[in-house]
Amino acid sequence: MRYWLMKSEPDEVSFDDVIKAPKQTVAWFGVRNYQARNFMRDAMSVGDGVLFYHSSCAVPGVAGIAEVASTPYPDASQFDPESHYHDPKATQENPRWISVDVRAVEQGRYLPLTEMRANPALEDMVLLQKGSRLSISPVTQGQWNAILKLLREGKR
DNA sequence: GCCAACGTTGGC
DNA sequence: GCCAACGTTGGC
């Protein structure tokens, strides 16, 4: 059992979109970074905890709790010439990019990035390191516990 | 819209 | 295999 933070632009897929989806589950597609892909391919397991993070928006932050809901499978968008995520070097025989399914589990309050930065318990998070741009990053048990506590308590 | 930081590409 | 040039990310 591991924990992850996964970034999504809410204009594309928000946590509310996941809640409204059938079975509260969506395919996590469009990852085009090898390190993030390798996390999905090599380290994720069904049931792993996911912090659903909203990036590139007015108030970036953790929007909800989710979980990994499938094993990895080829990301369909890499084969679609019409897709923004099309990869001409990917073939059905040799897919380059993968997806996993993600299921919404719990919506706490919205936890803004500014509040995470101000919390000493979270200062080692990969997300918060200078220059860190990884769209999928590992979260420790301690960081996970601290964030769940913040999500479940009222605004401070 | 700016721009620092990072990742990828491709010539050599 | 180096590294300059280019493209992307993402907070501000």
Side-chain angles (χ1 to χ4, degrees):
Chain A
M1 174 80 174
R2 290 184 169 96
Y3 303 100
W4 308 95
L5 181 141
M6 300 175 77
K7 294 180 186 174
S8 182
E9 300 189 14
D11 287 349
E12 292 201 30
V13 183
S14 70
F15 191 69
D16 281 343
D17 292 335
V18 185
I19 290 191
K20 289 173 189 158
K23 299 182 182 174
Q24 289 77 57
T25 301
V26 298
W28 201 276
F29 65 95
V31 170
R32 295 294 180 271
N33 169 281
Y34 289 104
Q35 204 176 343
R37 179 202 68 181
N38 293 347
F39 282 139
M40 288 196 287
R41 187 188 62 192
D42 304 331
M44 276 189 186
S45 304
V46 172
D48 280 2
V50 172
L51 301 172
F52 195 107
Y53 180 88
H54 285 178
S55 68
S56 295
C57 55
V59 183
V62 174
I65 301 296
E67 68 179 5
V68 176
S70 79
T71 51
Y73 57 92
D75 178 342
S77 66
Q78 68 191 305
F79 308 124
D80 176 4
E82 304 299 314
S83 170
H84 172 244
Y85 296 111
H86 179 238
D87 184 344
K89 292 179 181 168
T91 63
Q92 297 281 349
E93 297 73 30
N94 261 315
R96 183 181 287 202
W97 306 109
I98 61 170
S99 292
V100 296
D101 289 346
V102 170
R103 177 188 305 127
V105 172
E106 175 182 339
Q107 184 159 34
R109 73 184 173 96
Y110 193 85
L111 179 62
L113 175 62
T114 51
E115 191 177 332
M116 297 171 71
R117 282 206 188 283
N119 191 318
L122 303 180
E123 67 182 0
D124 290 334
M125 284 189 74
V126 174
L127 172 79
L128 302 183
Q129 302 314 300
K130 182 180 165 106
S132 174
R133 310 187 317 191
L134 264 182
S135 61
I136 298 175
S137 56
V139 172
T140 67
Q141 178 81 61
Q143 292 159 359
W144 175 265
N145 292 347
I147 287 173
L148 253 68
K149 195 175 164 204
L150 289 171
L151 286 175
R152 287 168 177 166
E153 76 189 13
K155 283 201 182 220
R156 40 175 73 239

